[in-house]
Amino acid sequence: MKKSQTLLLLALFSLGTAHAQKKKPMDKKQEIEQKVDQLLAKMTLEEKVGQMNQYNGFWDVTGPSPKEGNAAIKYEHLRKGWVGSMLTVRGVDQVRAVQKIAVEETRLGIPLIIGFDVIHGYKTLSPIPLAEAASWDMEAIKKSAQVAADEASASGINWTFGPNVDISRDARWGRVMEGAGEDPFLGRRVATARVKGFQGDDLSAPNTIAACAKHFAAYGFAESGRDYNTVDIGNATLYNTVLPPFKAAKDAGVRTFMNSFNILNGVPATGSSFLQRDILKGKWGFDGFIITDWASIREMIAHGYAKDGAEASLKAVKAGADMDMESHLYVAELVKLVNEGKVDIKLVDDSVRRILRVKYELGLFDDPYRYCNEKREKEVINSKANHEAVLDMAKKSIVLLKNEKNLLPLKKSGQKIALIGALANDKNSPLGSWRIASDDNTAVSVLEGMQQYKGNTLTFEKGADLTVGKTTFLDEVVFNTTDRSGFEAAKNAAASADVVVMVLGEHGFQSGEGRSRTNLDLPGLQQELLEAIYKVNSNVVLVLNNGRPLALPWAAEHIPAIVEAWHLGTQTGNAVAQVLYGDYNPSGKLPMSFPRNVGQVPIYYNQHSTGRPANSDNNVFWSHYTDVEKTPQFAFGHGLSYTTFKYSAPKLDKSSYTKGETVKVSVDITNTGNYDGKEVAQLYIRDIAASLSRPVKELKGFELISLKKGETKTVTFTLTDKELGFFNNEGEYLVEPGTFKVFVGTSSDNVQETEFELK
């Protein structure tokens, strides 16, 4: 071939290649990867390690820069580009100022990612997450997270340390208020809804924020419910109960994970390659980044897993922890560890690549100030639309536990109502725990909510103060146990009333991180007050404010109407009043079992059968307590309505199936009461005999349906291999042939059953 022909062919090939490239432009993901690689190539080792370093806010950014002490060191690191993220910096003016230092004063101008604990709202607060889970309404939960993201992003924040997807069966653990309860199937659905609510469809949009699935993993199984305590569980529990909500969050696109404080198999989660590299980054293919929990790298020394900061840093980075939250160890130790050959630079590069990737996805390199719009900040935060959204969420979160004597709904006229309890006139406690951006005393109280209804005579008496002294997030809550001076006035009001509404429960700061309890009763003088009021008027409606399941055996036996109203956030009083007066028919269902007493804890519906499961021979040697029933006071999935629902027997489309086929289960549900209402129809299964013992019931489907009075609807559930299988102790998913029982009903303990064979 002549040289001229060769050159012509090469030219044509180049044109063709260019045309093909023009037809197939680089997609956004490829573009980001290219930019990350280009930036990484420019970075010094110190700058790379800096991206792995997160500092808490350490000075008033809009004021003078710190000149001495720890704050001055952090400030100098920030100016050198040795800080990749900051947390608890909030407000457009503060975020803009700190971002300006990172972008305009450092060599490479890499923007910060700004993190914050947006747990159940920013300024305008939704119910605590456990309460939201009681709605079983995934669209409402997603909307709640959207509202939180909208407000947080308007304040300059672009990353939340949520959702908490820890499964927990122990109400003593204060952080149950942050999760979705005891069930992994419900937990998976809630995790997906929250991630999609926070992150939306476009992470670079200025009204979305990166989510963080936490705490990876098994934090909710801390022994005795004591926060930060040891975790010792088997692989069957890990794979089938703990991990599924995390996997759901990953599949929903969550961009970050946070590891947990606890040990698992003797290894702190922060130093666990098994969790972080083998499962999350390996088997699951997660390409976001992992942040440690607060100082958890340093805490590996206290765990007895590392002798000093250098060894802790070495073990953490090798295990896959990408960003150090407030241990100050990566920035102090990693450069030296790499230079000494103890840490492969590839591990650092991998972590930095993951962090930069998320920053590019957030659009921070396109506009570091995209979350810093003062006009939007004023318009969005505490907007009318956001208050309407959290009110809707609050009403959907309320669970009617008991309603004898038809006390509820209250009549709207002609009644004398006594409202009793310090919490009824409290505007702070209903905000709940983990509301660090909100303003104190901004909740609508139950008294204010009930005062909106003018047709009845309403009298309020607190009966007794709940707490003594100032109560803040950082304080231990001290309860009044001596001052009964208000009892007589409360009893007089109750004696002359047609109905008594008592608002009792936990203070909002009594649950949350570091708030474990050994008693699950009504604290202070509340139980004594409840019994005193009941003696003068038995027509009592008990409204509970709490962040965890409580043990209330006396109330469950004596009080005719009990409403679980949790800590419902900003619109608490309006939500409670609208439910009590019947303007909203409650439809919530419990996401955690309520024990009869603390000695039953942990108690949960999806337990395994023992070898002596029933008292068939009335013999003492069977699995039971000698002083209380085995069953919970209120079971998982329990929740009443002002109307009633009748279920037909569940029907299968056939009696046997082949692996891979879809099992269809249908049931007719009729509203047989006098009110329109919503019902959460629940489907459970039991694999009768398997290679690993399976629980007596496992939730595998639920449908939230609306029914007008007299209306009947057919609900059809589908079961596939995804619902019928389980993980073995090696993490392999199995679907085994055999007999399956199917249970359909209104709660885990109120179901009808059928069965089928899987061949």
Side-chain angles (χ1 to χ4, degrees):
M1 183 180 291
K2 294 181 180 179
K3 184 177 181 180
S4 58
Q5 290 175 313
T6 303
L7 291 172
L8 178 60
L9 286 173
L10 287 171
L12 290 171
F13 177 79
S14 298
L15 284 171
T17 302
H19 181 65
Q21 289 174 341
K22 193 172 183 181
K23 285 177 65 178
K24 292 184 178 180
M26 187 182 299
D27 64 26
K28 188 175 181 179
K29 187 173 182 179
Q30 290 175 315
E31 185 179 349
I32 287 174
E33 294 305 306
Q34 185 180 81
K35 289 179 178 179
V36 168
D37 287 340
Q38 291 171 348
L39 180 54
L40 198 62
K42 299 176 184 177
M43 297 173 71
T44 65
L45 176 57
E46 290 78 6
E47 288 166 336
K48 290 176 180 179
V49 170
Q51 286 300 301
M52 301 168 68
N53 178 36
Q54 183 188 63
Y55 282 146
N56 186 33
F58 48 91
W59 95 106
D60 179 1
V61 187
T62 57
S65 58
K67 301 300 182 184
E68 57 185 24
N70 191 46
I73 295 171
K74 287 183 174 182
Y75 178 70
E76 185 62 23
H77 287 179
L78 180 63
R79 293 182 66 248
K80 286 182 176 181
W82 293 2
V83 181
S85 172
M86 291 184 69
L87 71 154
T88 68
V89 178
R90 60 187 176 94
V92 164
D93 58 339
Q94 295 284 313
V95 173
R96 184 187 295 277
V98 75
Q99 196 70 279
K100 185 176 181 179
I101 296 170
V103 172
E104 300 181 23
E105 296 186 29
T106 64
R107 187 178 76 90
L108 294 175
I110 300 174
L112 299 166
I113 181 171
I114 305 296
F116 198 80
D117 285 288
V118 185
I119 304 303
H120 57 109
Y122 184 68
K123 286 282 189 184
T124 311
L125 295 181
S126 277
I128 59 171
L130 184 65
E132 289 191 353
S135 73
W136 297 53
D137 187 329
M138 299 306 115
E139 285 303 313
I141 293 171
K142 179 181 176 183
K143 176 65 177 176
S144 172
Q146 287 173 335
V147 169
D150 197 33
E151 288 200 351
S153 62
S155 191
I157 293 158
N158 41 54
W159 181 22
T160 175
F161 303 127
N164 181 325
V165 301
D166 294 319
I167 297 299
S168 184
R169 300 161 170 173
D170 197 329
R172 294 172 297 182
W173 190 50
R175 301 194 80 166
V176 297
M177 58 79 58
E178 293 181 52
E182 71 189 44
D183 181 73
F185 185 88
L186 178 61
R188 281 166 41 199
R189 296 281 298 274
V190 172
T192 298
R194 287 189 173 135
V195 168
K196 290 185 175 179
F198 284 131
Q199 296 191 167
D201 297 323
D202 181 5
L203 199 58
S204 66
N207 63 340
T208 63
I209 57 180
C212 181
K214 66 182 188 184
H215 304 84
F216 197 67
Y219 188 30
F221 281 76
E223 282 187 355
S224 69
R226 196 175 82 233
D227 214 349
Y228 319 120
N229 201 9
T230 297
V231 170
D232 191 4
I233 59 173
N235 278 359
T237 300
L238 177 68
Y239 285 118
N240 290 288
T241 302
V242 170
L243 293 182
F246 287 101
K247 181 60 162 59
K250 184 270 170 186
D251 291 343
V254 73
R255 299 313 295 134
T256 67
F257 270 66
M258 180 185 291
N259 55 39
S260 54
F261 286 122
N262 55 277
I263 64 170
L264 184 69
N265 294 324
V267 178
T270 304
S272 174
S273 295
F274 167 66
L275 287 173
Q276 296 173 107
R277 291 211 184 274
D278 297 349
I279 294 177
L280 182 56
K281 293 179 177 180
K283 190 173 183 179
W284 294 358
F286 175 64
D287 66 353
F289 70 88
I290 303 171
I291 184 165
T292 73
D293 208 335
W294 187 285
S296 68
I297 297 178
R298 187 175 296 279
E299 288 183 9
M300 290 199 293
I301 302 171
H303 276 296
Y305 187 67
K307 65 181 180 180
D308 54 25
E311 186 176 14
S313 300
L314 175 71
K315 289 187 172 182
V317 74
K318 284 188 172 182
D322 299 307
M323 184 179 283
D324 173 12
M325 179 194 286
E326 272 293 306
S327 280
H328 308 177
L329 285 178
Y330 276 179
V331 74
E333 303 288 353
L334 266 189
V335 171
K336 183 180 178 182
L337 288 169
V338 172
N339 287 334
E340 291 176 345
K342 295 178 180 178
V343 170
D344 192 331
I345 186 62
K346 291 180 181 178
L347 296 180
V348 173
D349 285 349
D350 177 64
S351 291
V352 177
R353 181 175 284 108
R354 291 167 179 274
I355 294 164
L356 294 177
R357 179 182 294 134
V358 175
K359 290 185 177 184
Y360 273 109
E361 291 170 350
L362 283 164
L364 290 170
F365 283 95
D366 297 327
D367 178 9
Y369 308 110
R370 71 190 306 119
Y371 297 90
C372 299
N373 184 322
E374 290 84 352
K375 181 174 181 289
R376 181 168 170 260
E377 185 176 31
K378 291 177 182 177
E379 292 174 349
V380 167
I381 293 177
N382 275 320
S383 69
K384 180 181 178 182
N386 287 349
H387 277 267
E388 290 174 349
V390 301
L391 173 60
D392 179 67
M393 185 76 255
K395 290 186 291 188
K396 290 174 177 175
S397 301
I398 292 174
V399 183
L400 181 61
L401 296 178
K402 188 178 178 183
N403 190 23
E404 295 175 354
K405 300 169 65 172
N406 293 317
L407 283 186
L408 294 174
L410 300 173
K411 297 176 182 177
K412 291 185 178 178
S413 62
Q415 283 190 322
K416 291 181 180 179
I417 298 177
L419 178 62
I420 296 174
L423 287 174
N425 194 29
D426 197 318
K427 295 173 63 63
N428 200 39
S429 177
L431 297 173
S433 191
W434 278 121
R435 36 68 175 254
I436 54 180
S438 72
D439 299 317
D440 287 345
N441 299 305
T442 52
V444 178
S445 71
V446 174
L447 175 59
E448 290 172 327
M450 293 189 70
Q451 285 173 336
Q452 301 302 309
Y453 291 81
K454 307 296 186 182
N456 290 320
T457 301
L458 180 67
T459 302
F460 168 71
E461 294 289 345
K462 67 179 179 181
D465 288 321
L466 179 62
T467 61
V468 176
K470 185 179 179 183
T471 299
T472 72
F473 177 68
L474 296 176
D475 293 330
E476 291 292 337
V477 184
V478 180
F479 293 96
N480 168 32
T481 58
T482 58
D483 184 2
R484 298 171 177 81
S485 59
F487 271 38
E488 286 304 313
K491 288 195 291 184
N492 290 337
S496 62
D498 297 309
V499 179
V500 180
V501 176
M502 297 191 71
V503 184
L504 307 176
E506 296 182 310
H507 189 276
F509 289 139
Q510 202 176 355
S511 60
E513 185 173 354
R515 297 296 192 264
S516 300
R517 294 183 65 191
T518 59
N519 288 313
L520 299 176
D521 54 2
L522 296 171
L525 296 173
Q526 293 179 104
Q527 181 64 35
E528 186 178 335
L529 177 64
L530 176 62
E531 294 184 29
I533 297 301
Y534 180 79
K535 285 180 181 178
V536 300
N537 189 338
S538 62
N539 290 332
V540 176
V541 176
L542 174 59
V543 177
L544 296 171
N545 286 176
N546 44 297
R548 51 158 62 83
L550 298 179
L552 304 166
W554 188 91
E557 180 181 352
H558 294 91
I559 302 302
I562 304 177
V563 176
E564 176 51 81
W566 314 102
H567 296 130
L568 293 175
T570 305
Q571 287 290 326
T572 290
N574 288 330
V576 170
Q578 289 177 33
V579 166
L580 293 181
Y581 275 105
D583 285 338
Y584 189 87
N585 190 351
S587 58
K589 303 279 188 176
L590 292 180
M592 281 191 80
S593 305
F594 276 45
R596 297 177 185 274
N597 59 44
V598 75
Q600 287 186 311
V601 175
I603 188 169
Y604 47 98
Y605 87 92
N606 50 352
Q607 65 199 26
H608 289 255
S609 176
T610 70
R612 298 182 177 188
N615 188 20
S616 57
D617 300 320
N618 196 30
N619 192 307
V620 69
F621 298 110
W622 57 291
S623 181
H624 74 303
Y625 299 106
T626 61
D627 57 350
V628 72
E629 293 183 43
K630 287 198 303 180
T631 58
Q633 190 78 68
F634 299 108
F636 175 85
H638 172 74
L640 306 177
S641 169
Y642 293 150
T643 192
T644 53
F645 301 100
K646 182 180 179 181
Y647 283 69
S648 70
K651 297 178 182 177
L652 295 160
D653 55 336
K654 54 184 182 177
S655 60
S656 69
Y657 301 84
T658 303
K659 181 179 174 180
E661 281 191 278
T662 296
V663 179
K664 292 187 177 181
V665 186
S666 61
V667 62
D668 295 332
I669 305 175
T670 303
N671 183 339
T672 55
N674 296 319
Y675 297 87
D676 297 344
K678 292 188 293 185
E679 167 71 343
V680 181
Q682 302 159 43
L683 179 143
Y684 301 83
I685 68 167
R686 182 178 185 183
D687 188 345
I688 296 300
S691 57
L692 290 181
S693 172
R694 305 304 306 136
V696 296
K697 284 192 187 82
E698 294 181 272
L699 181 70
K700 293 297 180 180
F702 62 88
E703 292 291 335
L704 176 61
I705 61 170
S706 297
L707 289 168
K708 297 185 180 301
K709 58 181 179 179
E711 184 181 10
T712 298
K713 286 185 178 178
T714 300
V715 176
T716 300
F717 299 94
T718 58
L719 297 171
T720 66
D721 286 356
K722 188 176 180 181
E723 288 77 37
L724 297 177
F726 60 92
F727 291 95
N728 66 14
N729 289 335
E730 286 71 48
E732 299 166 331
Y733 192 72
L734 307 177
V735 181
E736 297 180 341
T739 302
F740 287 79
K741 285 189 178 292
V742 179
F743 312 89
V744 180
T746 187
S747 66
S748 63
D749 65 345
N750 186 359
V751 293
Q752 299 182 71
E753 69 179 78
T754 185
E755 65 179 47
F756 66 88
E757 292 291 326
L758 186 66
K759 298 181 179 179

